[in-house]
Amino acid sequence: MANLSEEIKEIICKTLPNLSEETQWQIISKLQSSGLESKEDLKYVQQEDIADLLPVIQRRKLLDAFKLETETVTLDLQVIPTSSPLSSDRSVSGSSSPTLCTPPNSSSSQLSAISSCSSQARNSEPSNRPSTSQILKTWPETFQVPWEQMPQEIRSAIADGKRPKPVERRQMVRVLADEMRRYEANPTRAQCLTVVRNIIRQYPKSFADIAPDGSLLCGGYTSLLIQLKNRIENLNRDGSFSCHRSSTGKRGPTDTYGCTRFQPELPPEETDDTVEQHRQRLEEIYRQEGAGGAERAEVKNLMELTFSLQRRHINTLPPPDIEDVKSKWPFLFTPRYIYAHFELLTDINVLRSLELSMEECGRAITEYFRGKPTNKDVKDILSKGEDNEMALRVVQLLMAHFGEDLTGLILLTDMSATAADVETTLSLPASPRLILPGATGQVTIKGWMITFEGRVISEGITPTFATGLAAMFAIYYIFNLQYQDEAACTLEFIQRRFIGINPERGTKAKRGKVVSKKKGVIVQKKSSAVNTHVAMLLKNLLDFEWNFI
């Protein structure tokens, strides 16, 4: 989505060079929240879509640019072979909508749907017929949501651009599932996704998963898709239908997940020899000044120039030992350059994103759990008062809600403990942990440490939990790590809700094997783009924040 945003921004800049950057991003955000998913979708943008952002003449200029940008692609899509029987006596129209089919009743439902669509198209639009690609639609693409059968509250929410209450939304999902099963008894996840995406595009304000800044969370469709698929599976639980899922056994792209510059090219003015000289200069400065040298302007410049070499060393296969990386790039393990590397890698200021998110929704999350504590551990945390920093309290509540032990992410040590003390007195796992000073139940932040592979790799003196959490979270992306099972849900929630990394595919969670709750045997863990528990909490909090704010 980041690449698409940049492409749209480039078109806007070329067409309206004097337009402010703020307005440019408002236009991009507006288009994406309306369902824009690819550059080709720009041809569907209309003047009223951006009427509140640009005057008439500028709107016309921009729409002309959008159409010109997609014209070549559109012409390619509309070319129909003259030998095809579907092409005879037809004029291609890229703007006409496909005719909706009635639910099929025979086993050849797909063929019937296609024939029905073709017949209706011929009868209803003799002078402006749809293209071949429009006629050969599958039933999910031409599916018509029975809005007239929906509860009055749902129809009112849509009309007013508001979010329906959870109970009303569940009623809508029941009606939707029943209607879809008239076409196919057990629709696949892909078929459900097609239907849900169309709903989100049509009514994003009422049904999309939207962050407070207006951006879509993972395409905006995750929570509704989960509700719909769960409803269908519940209806088919006693039947003989099997889930349409396949497992390739291949590892997903967890390394590049969320990254925009995973392995960049060298800067134009640099060579392999010059960046290596820069690296050696950084080593020399560190030997002379230690971590204090991180504040020098020369170090900042050299760390940016050598970013591509840093990535090359980190991305080496097999992965290098963390101590080897630290010996070559000592400044990379200081808080300042952990944040800086993460920003170059993802285009996100991790510390600022986390701090702003805590300011904006930390209180709302606390009040959500206060009004609806989900288990005993959540109640215990709420009963201890609000002595700890907001960010720490929120993380404690999240881990309690997901059933994850705090030690899966955070370890406590003595107030005066040094890095050597931590390495010798604590049982340090291989996966990252944030080390905080304090006793159980009460933490006094006077600094923090991050451990990885059983060693302390970074120390921070800033007395806030958020600075340590931001640095530890960045470590997963900088060093291509998967989230440990002990804190996978909490880390994914932080990723999606606080940091704003929401890819539609892939995951940072491990895809190992688990013990089946039903059969008690070891089975392959199901993989999905968004953890079900995380998606439902995101959706519930979104509904709560809508009313809370």
Side-chain angles (χ1 to χ4, degrees), residues 14 185 219:
K14 288 180 181 178

Side-chain angles (χ1 to χ4, degrees), residues 181 184-189 191 229 232-233 236 241-244:
R181 292 179 79 240
E184 190 162 329
N186 190 28
T188 65
R189 186 182 186 279
Q191 291 170 329
K229 189 57 183 167
I232 289 171
E233 289 183 352
N236 290 329
F241 302 104
S242 60
C243 295
H244 299 262

Side-chain angles (χ1 to χ4, degrees), residues 80-90 122 129 132 135-136:
I80 301 175
T82 55
S83 59
S84 169
L86 290 169
S87 65
S88 60
D89 301 323
R90 290 182 186 169
R122 285 194 295 271
R129 305 188 188 281
T132 302
I135 293 174
L136 299 179

